[in-house]
Amino acid sequence: SRTLSISSSKTNEPKILENTDVNARILIVEDNPVAARAIQSSIKRLYSHCGCEFAENGEQAFNMAKENDYDLILMDVGLGAG
């Protein structure tokens, strides 16, 4: 059984997610669509219960994070402008 440890943004307490646990929401922030799909594929292969959404830039990610409660945000450190 694989586990994934995620720190809650509200409490900073780690949550352990089993592969059959509740549905985790993940925001993938990546301006390269091929890389974004590869990340999603890897996540889905290991943690099939996770749902992934995409943002192409930091501004879009910020707005999505304000409107949604994500369990994890994976962000490309080399994003271009935006």
PDB file of all heavy atoms in Angstrom, residues 27 59-70 73:
ATOM      1  N   LEU A  27      -3.658  20.459  -7.677  1.00  0.00           N
ATOM      2  CA  LEU A  27      -3.515  21.474  -8.717  1.00  0.00           C
ATOM      3  C   LEU A  27      -2.091  21.372  -9.260  1.00  0.00           C
ATOM      4  O   LEU A  27      -1.123  21.499  -8.504  1.00  0.00           O
ATOM      5  CB  LEU A  27      -3.783  22.874  -8.168  1.00  0.00           C
ATOM      6  CG  LEU A  27      -3.571  24.024  -9.153  1.00  0.00           C
ATOM      7  CD1 LEU A  27      -4.501  23.891 -10.373  1.00  0.00           C
ATOM      8  CD2 LEU A  27      -3.779  25.367  -8.457  1.00  0.00           C
ATOM      9  N   GLU A  59      -0.670  33.258 -11.966  1.00  0.00           N
ATOM     10  CA  GLU A  59      -1.881  34.045 -11.750  1.00  0.00           C
ATOM     11  C   GLU A  59      -3.118  33.151 -11.821  1.00  0.00           C
ATOM     12  O   GLU A  59      -4.011  33.247 -10.969  1.00  0.00           O
ATOM     13  CB  GLU A  59      -1.976  35.163 -12.786  1.00  0.00           C
ATOM     14  CG  GLU A  59      -3.182  36.047 -12.605  1.00  0.00           C
ATOM     15  CD  GLU A  59      -3.240  37.193 -13.600  1.00  0.00           C
ATOM     16  OE1 GLU A  59      -2.329  37.336 -14.437  1.00  0.00           O
ATOM     17  OE2 GLU A  59      -4.231  37.942 -13.537  1.00  0.00           O
ATOM     18  N   GLN A  60      -3.166  32.282 -12.808  1.00  0.00           N
ATOM     19  CA  GLN A  60      -4.284  31.353 -12.931  1.00  0.00           C
ATOM     20  C   GLN A  60      -4.336  30.419 -11.717  1.00  0.00           C
ATOM     21  O   GLN A  60      -5.402  30.155 -11.165  1.00  0.00           O
ATOM     22  CB  GLN A  60      -4.164  30.554 -14.227  1.00  0.00           C
ATOM     23  CG  GLN A  60      -5.338  29.644 -14.482  1.00  0.00           C
ATOM     24  CD  GLN A  60      -5.179  28.837 -15.762  1.00  0.00           C
ATOM     25  OE1 GLN A  60      -4.101  28.734 -16.331  1.00  0.00           O
ATOM     26  NE2 GLN A  60      -6.268  28.243 -16.206  1.00  0.00           N
ATOM     27  N   ALA A  61      -3.174  29.941 -11.282  1.00  0.00           N
ATOM     28  CA  ALA A  61      -3.110  29.052 -10.117  1.00  0.00           C
ATOM     29  C   ALA A  61      -3.607  29.765  -8.862  1.00  0.00           C
ATOM     30  O   ALA A  61      -4.355  29.194  -8.060  1.00  0.00           O
ATOM     31  CB  ALA A  61      -1.684  28.554  -9.910  1.00  0.00           C
ATOM     32  N   PHE A  62      -3.200  31.008  -8.691  1.00  0.00           N
ATOM     33  CA  PHE A  62      -3.619  31.784  -7.531  1.00  0.00           C
ATOM     34  C   PHE A  62      -5.141  31.928  -7.500  1.00  0.00           C
ATOM     35  O   PHE A  62      -5.778  31.722  -6.464  1.00  0.00           O
ATOM     36  CB  PHE A  62      -2.944  33.158  -7.553  1.00  0.00           C
ATOM     37  CG  PHE A  62      -3.325  34.041  -6.399  1.00  0.00           C
ATOM     38  CD1 PHE A  62      -2.779  33.834  -5.140  1.00  0.00           C
ATOM     39  CD2 PHE A  62      -4.233  35.074  -6.576  1.00  0.00           C
ATOM     40  CE1 PHE A  62      -3.133  34.636  -4.066  1.00  0.00           C
ATOM     41  CE2 PHE A  62      -4.591  35.881  -5.508  1.00  0.00           C
ATOM     42  CZ  PHE A  62      -4.046  35.664  -4.252  1.00  0.00           C
ATOM     43  N   ASN A  63      -5.722  32.258  -8.644  1.00  0.00           N
ATOM     44  CA  ASN A  63      -7.182  32.427  -8.716  1.00  0.00           C
ATOM     45  C   ASN A  63      -7.900  31.104  -8.474  1.00  0.00           C
ATOM     46  O   ASN A  63      -8.926  31.070  -7.783  1.00  0.00           O
ATOM     47  CB  ASN A  63      -7.582  33.020 -10.060  1.00  0.00           C
ATOM     48  CG  ASN A  63      -7.170  34.468 -10.181  1.00  0.00           C
ATOM     49  OD1 ASN A  63      -7.110  35.197  -9.196  1.00  0.00           O
ATOM     50  ND2 ASN A  63      -6.847  34.892 -11.381  1.00  0.00           N
ATOM     51  N   MET A  64      -7.374  30.011  -9.001  1.00  0.00           N
ATOM     52  CA  MET A  64      -7.988  28.707  -8.779  1.00  0.00           C
ATOM     53  C   MET A  64      -7.890  28.305  -7.313  1.00  0.00           C
ATOM     54  O   MET A  64      -8.821  27.743  -6.747  1.00  0.00           O
ATOM     55  CB  MET A  64      -7.330  27.657  -9.676  1.00  0.00           C
ATOM     56  CG  MET A  64      -7.660  27.829 -11.152  1.00  0.00           C
ATOM     57  SD  MET A  64      -6.763  26.682 -12.222  1.00  0.00           S
ATOM     58  CE  MET A  64      -7.643  25.149 -11.850  1.00  0.00           C
ATOM     59  N   ALA A  65      -6.751  28.599  -6.681  1.00  0.00           N
ATOM     60  CA  ALA A  65      -6.554  28.246  -5.269  1.00  0.00           C
ATOM     61  C   ALA A  65      -7.471  29.065  -4.361  1.00  0.00           C
ATOM     62  O   ALA A  65      -7.889  28.583  -3.307  1.00  0.00           O
ATOM     63  CB  ALA A  65      -5.095  28.439  -4.879  1.00  0.00           C
ATOM     64  N   LYS A  66      -7.797  30.294  -4.750  1.00  0.00           N
ATOM     65  CA  LYS A  66      -8.739  31.100  -3.967  1.00  0.00           C
ATOM     66  C   LYS A  66     -10.142  30.515  -4.023  1.00  0.00           C
ATOM     67  O   LYS A  66     -10.887  30.604  -3.048  1.00  0.00           O
ATOM     68  CB  LYS A  66      -8.781  32.548  -4.484  1.00  0.00           C
ATOM     69  CG  LYS A  66      -7.588  33.374  -4.110  1.00  0.00           C
ATOM     70  CD  LYS A  66      -7.778  34.866  -4.368  1.00  0.00           C
ATOM     71  CE  LYS A  66      -8.410  35.206  -5.691  1.00  0.00           C
ATOM     72  NZ  LYS A  66      -8.426  36.656  -5.982  1.00  0.00           N
ATOM     73  N   GLU A  67     -10.492  29.907  -5.146  1.00  0.00           N
ATOM     74  CA  GLU A  67     -11.846  29.404  -5.363  1.00  0.00           C
ATOM     75  C   GLU A  67     -12.027  27.937  -4.971  1.00  0.00           C
ATOM     76  O   GLU A  67     -13.155  27.478  -4.834  1.00  0.00           O
ATOM     77  CB  GLU A  67     -12.236  29.573  -6.836  1.00  0.00           C
ATOM     78  CG  GLU A  67     -12.253  31.004  -7.299  1.00  0.00           C
ATOM     79  CD  GLU A  67     -13.321  31.842  -6.603  1.00  0.00           C
ATOM     80  OE1 GLU A  67     -14.426  31.312  -6.375  1.00  0.00           O
ATOM     81  OE2 GLU A  67     -13.035  33.006  -6.281  1.00  0.00           O
ATOM     82  N   ASN A  68     -10.932  27.192  -4.807  1.00  0.00           N
ATOM     83  CA  ASN A  68     -11.009  25.756  -4.555  1.00  0.00           C
ATOM     84  C   ASN A  68     -10.130  25.368  -3.381  1.00  0.00           C
ATOM     85  O   ASN A  68      -9.169  26.060  -3.059  1.00  0.00           O
ATOM     86  CB  ASN A  68     -10.546  24.979  -5.797  1.00  0.00           C
ATOM     87  CG  ASN A  68     -11.411  25.260  -7.000  1.00  0.00           C
ATOM     88  OD1 ASN A  68     -12.508  24.766  -7.106  1.00  0.00           O
ATOM     89  ND2 ASN A  68     -10.913  26.098  -7.906  1.00  0.00           N
ATOM     90  N   ASP A  69     -10.455  24.263  -2.776  1.00  0.00           N
ATOM     91  CA  ASP A  69      -9.687  23.752  -1.638  1.00  0.00           C
ATOM     92  C   ASP A  69      -8.848  22.561  -2.113  1.00  0.00           C
ATOM     93  O   ASP A  69      -9.344  21.443  -2.177  1.00  0.00           O
ATOM     94  CB  ASP A  69     -10.633  23.331  -0.519  1.00  0.00           C
ATOM     95  CG  ASP A  69      -9.903  22.976   0.751  1.00  0.00           C
ATOM     96  OD1 ASP A  69      -8.764  23.438   0.925  1.00  0.00           O
ATOM     97  OD2 ASP A  69     -10.468  22.232   1.564  1.00  0.00           O
ATOM     98  N   TYR A  70      -7.603  22.821  -2.492  1.00  0.00           N
ATOM     99  CA  TYR A  70      -6.709  21.772  -2.976  1.00  0.00           C
ATOM    100  C   TYR A  70      -5.957  21.143  -1.807  1.00  0.00           C
ATOM    101  O   TYR A  70      -5.573  21.827  -0.861  1.00  0.00           O
ATOM    102  CB  TYR A  70      -5.710  22.328  -3.993  1.00  0.00           C
ATOM    103  CG  TYR A  70      -6.383  22.789  -5.265  1.00  0.00           C
ATOM    104  CD1 TYR A  70      -6.556  24.135  -5.535  1.00  0.00           C
ATOM    105  CD2 TYR A  70      -6.871  21.866  -6.174  1.00  0.00           C
ATOM    106  CE1 TYR A  70      -7.189  24.563  -6.681  1.00  0.00           C
ATOM    107  CE2 TYR A  70      -7.507  22.276  -7.337  1.00  0.00           C
ATOM    108  CZ  TYR A  70      -7.663  23.619  -7.586  1.00  0.00           C
ATOM    109  OH  TYR A  70      -8.297  24.037  -8.721  1.00  0.00           O
ATOM    110  N   ILE A  73      -0.635  21.454  -4.113  1.00  0.00           N
ATOM    111  CA  ILE A  73      -0.358  22.246  -5.311  1.00  0.00           C
ATOM    112  C   ILE A  73       1.076  21.956  -5.722  1.00  0.00           C
ATOM    113  O   ILE A  73       2.009  22.196  -4.954  1.00  0.00           O
ATOM    114  CB  ILE A  73      -0.554  23.757  -5.060  1.00  0.00           C
ATOM    115  CG1 ILE A  73      -2.007  24.043  -4.667  1.00  0.00           C
ATOM    116  CG2 ILE A  73      -0.149  24.557  -6.294  1.00  0.00           C
ATOM    117  CD1 ILE A  73      -2.289  25.479  -4.286  1.00  0.00           C
TER     118      ILE A  73
END
